[in-house]
Amino acid sequence: MGPDAADGTRRRDLGTATTTGATGPHGRTKHLLHLAAHSGLPDVLAAEADAQGTAARSPEHTEGLAAFTAKRAPRFATTGRLEQG
């Protein structure tokens, strides 16, 4: 496999992980990265603290912790909500 094919595989894997993972945390991370590029450290740290609190109360956190404890892959919905059923 040449470098172009390997890069394509990595991009596809990242895209799959991004679209099938916990979308709430992905969105919060994107927001924090944007904020970090355009704000000062005190604002970024305050936003990070807020995001950590939000993440700790999220359904994605609950599912991720349950999956880790059960030693299974997490089952996240692509809408940011847990799958039903």
Side-chain angles (χ1 to χ4, degrees):
M1 180 182 327
D4 290 339
D7 286 345
T9 299
R10 282 193 292 271
R11 283 192 297 271
R12 185 179 60 250
D13 291 347
L14 179 59
T16 298
T18 302
T19 59
T20 60
T23 58
H26 288 309
R28 285 189 289 277
T29 299
K30 183 177 177 181
H31 170 74
L32 290 170
L33 289 170
H34 177 78
L35 187 66
H38 302 285
S39 300
L41 183 59
D43 291 336
V44 173
L45 292 176
E48 172 68 19
D50 183 58
Q52 288 292 330
T54 299
R57 295 184 302 275
S58 73
E60 292 96 343
H61 175 76
T62 302
E63 170 57 15
L65 187 58
F68 178 80
T69 302
K71 297 182 180 180
R72 63 168 172 80
R75 295 181 295 264
F76 299 117
T78 57
T79 62
R81 298 185 194 150
L82 289 176
E83 294 177 15
Q84 300 298 314

